[in-house]
Amino acid sequence: MTEAPLRNIGRPDRRIDAGEKVSGRAVYTTDIDLPGMLHAKVLRSPHGHARIVSIDASAARAMPGVHAVLTRDETAAIPMPVYGYFIKDQPIVATDKVRYEGDIVAAVAAEDEGTANRALAAIRVEYEPQPVVTDLERASDPDAAELFEEPPVGIVPKYGQGASGELRPRRNVCYRFSYETGPADAFDECDHVFEDVFRFSRMHHFHLEPFVCVADWSRKDRIELWTSCQNPFPLRKEIARIFGLAENRIAVRVPYIGGGFGSKNGCKTEPVALALSRLAGRPVRFCLTLEEGFLTNTQHAAILKVKTGVMQDGMLVARKSEILLDSGAYSDGSPLVAEKAGYRIPGPYRYRRIETDCYCVMTNTAPAGPFRGFGGTQTSWACESQIDMIAHRLGIDPYDMRRKNLIDLGEPFVPGESGMDSDLRAGLDLVVRELGYRRRGGLEDDGPVKRGMGLAIGFKDGGGVNKPALARVKVSTGGDIFLQCGTAEIGQGAHTALSAVVAERLGADRSRVRYMPVDTDHTPFDQGTNASSAISVMGQAVDRAALAARAQILDFAAGVLDCPAEELDLADWEIRRGNEAHPLAPMIMGHFGGTGWEFVGEGFHKAENSHAAPLEAPCVFWEIGWGGAQVAVDTETGLVTVEKLFVTGDAGRAIHPLVCRGQDEGAALMGLSQALFERMIYDGSRLVNGDALTYRVPLADDLPEDFRSVTQEQGHGPGPFGAKGMGEGGMLPVASAIANAIHDAVGVRITELPLSPERVLAALAAKDGG
Amino acid sequence: MPDRLDPRFDLSFTLNGAPVETATTTATALADLLREGCGGRGTRLACERAVCGACTVLVDGVPRASCSVFAFEVEGCAVQMIEGLENDGELSPVQAAFADNSAFQCGYCTAGMILLTEALLARDPDPDEAAIRDWISSNICRCTGYSLILEAVRDAARRKRETAP
């Protein structure tokens, strides 16, 4: 291997998508336009929960310009017209019931969206409204209405040591995940046991590119699908199952994706568009509005009951947790989120006993699913708030409390797990220095405005479970490099980072690498672009593919030069042997003929399964987000101003420093807005702020005056050059760091998000009153 | 059908400096005219409620949410969209600053952010921090956390001042 300084790694040069994105030429699914393409729109339920008595779409079918109408009458002919991850409970269009306001009842494909909307207005639906379920804690009461009277088809995956799952453990709960380790009597030996309850709000991803696809099933035995979906191979599998088609009849193509944050994860627009395309015999574009996005996928609101046993000196001993996730009306990714929330609730600390039950509670609200943090945001909020609360109860500084209990570098999180791959104390100390936490006693108040600081450490396992990844690197006669792998570019910079790895291994400039379009017909298999896995999982496959291509090139040259390959090096498309340089192009044409040749290397990666690991495979890497905040709390108005926010993640090795920084800062701002104001507001089963004007996302002027991030490079990651994944960690510590800072400033503890002026004032009043 | 209910009429304006003679209807949004008819697809539609600013174009130099401007409103106006910023294949200083500072991730808001910056710097070649934040706060970026965008705007202002005649 070359000892030369790295030419592509750690350099902040332009991302490979920069030119296309700043010039407007980048192609997204919204830009795909096929000859004869129709436009789809859907009719949505105005009821939170109702039986469908009748649907009369005859007037819509007769309207000029309408080419297909999809109701339960048509989906009855589809082999398996339901979808979901572990549980197949979401129908393409409603059959017997609607289960949330916004549930799809019918769909129309027409010459244009206006015609489709007029046709939808002509569909008559008779509903028989049912009582709604919206309260997480009362959903399992015997008198609560049931969303599903009959069990949908579902599976419980195989789990390892200490973990278990169950379908429908109780009324309106579609899934339970449980985990336990350590002696059951550990609470008995604790000096103190503290029980606290935390409430977590619900956000929408608010990706700017809407949910969109263009589906062409005009030929009976061939589906071509362009979609804004981050998991094209799982989507292909699901479509094959739903419609009873072979996977080699289905091509899923993923252009640039305009943001997702977890939402663009499975069947969303695609089944409706495909069914309409088959009926109409023409391609169909189905693009949701941003308002419809709110009705399609959301984060999980949650109630987290955390009971922690501790010794007088602050040593953690045991934690028992019960988590209720508001899963909405369909299971979507909820069972997977439950696994992760249930697994992550201990945080990055050492215990003798861990015991967790996490329930997916069905309510008559929009389906919840994957969202940046994937359960870890909920658990970090609860865990990092409670660590501070316990520290104060014991009279210990929250910093010392954390430091005492953090898992050591290399120490397994729980039995059977992989070792911690970041020095957690080093990250915490970095926050303490950058924030000036030691000097917080000297913070000056300003009349009714009081100041304080708080710390938090967000924690999740990264890289996903059961993620096989295959990559292919081709190098042409002229040294032009083709990278083929299934990682979608959703904004995270993965195409840039993976291309840099390939270029580095082949001794080339990154500009020589072209990242080939993601198309399931040609792209090697991949489980999906999720779980911060691009560099940590696919990165390993890509690295091996590049090294395989390099080995082939060196072997070829060794044959031509009649010497051992070990004597050769590759740089700038020349073979270097000592002081000699042999250009490859003529060497290749001399051997293969004038057209030349392509060297092809493949690389595969999958974490080994292990029954000793609770989730059946040891964690790929640990994604840690350390954070600290300084707040000013106005005790007269309750307004919390975050004056300083500092976050830091450990990239292991930053393949592209600006990309890493953007991931941490974008995630941190999402955490800040959830902490202070951003949330979906439901009135019963009705979402009251599901649009861009009333749903408040952060703007540039919401940035704290002092907002900074540092990308650590501790070097312990499993990815190429020691890299770890990024993108979720920066969000995890922010809300609890701010809540902890509020407590530091004014001595009140708020356990429910957002940390609104109303809640702060109420807490202050309660403190004064008590 | 739309054509019967909403007959087409002639519309003329300049787009990226070149005259355009086209036909439109009273119901057509400027964004749709640009995307479907004449400009290219760099103008991105997101909220379609004039809130997020992804579809920002400049109309006589003023940033407008093209989702919520009727096409007929630009009769006789000069419309500037992202596709018109490059000069002989060279990125404008603002585009180059966004590229060099990685002031984008998914890229969906980028055209709007760049045009907003062009308009800001045309008015004030040396905006202070408050002005930059105020202007950039009219558009939404969900990815970056804004810091890199703010750096790109400062960098763009520097580049433009250095290359100004």
Side-chain angles (χ1 to χ4, degrees), chain A residues 252-276:
Chain A
V252 179
R253 295 169 188 149
V254 181
Y256 284 128
I257 302 177
F261 315 105
S263 67
K264 291 175 172 171
N265 56 71
C267 285
K268 293 290 173 279
T269 54
E270 299 86 356
V272 162
L274 283 165
L276 286 170

Side-chain angles (χ1 to χ4, degrees), chain A residues 531-551:
Chain A
S532 301
S533 66
I535 202 69
S536 61
V537 176
M538 182 56 82
Q540 296 193 57
V542 165
D543 197 21
R544 284 171 197 160
L547 289 170
R550 176 190 161 87

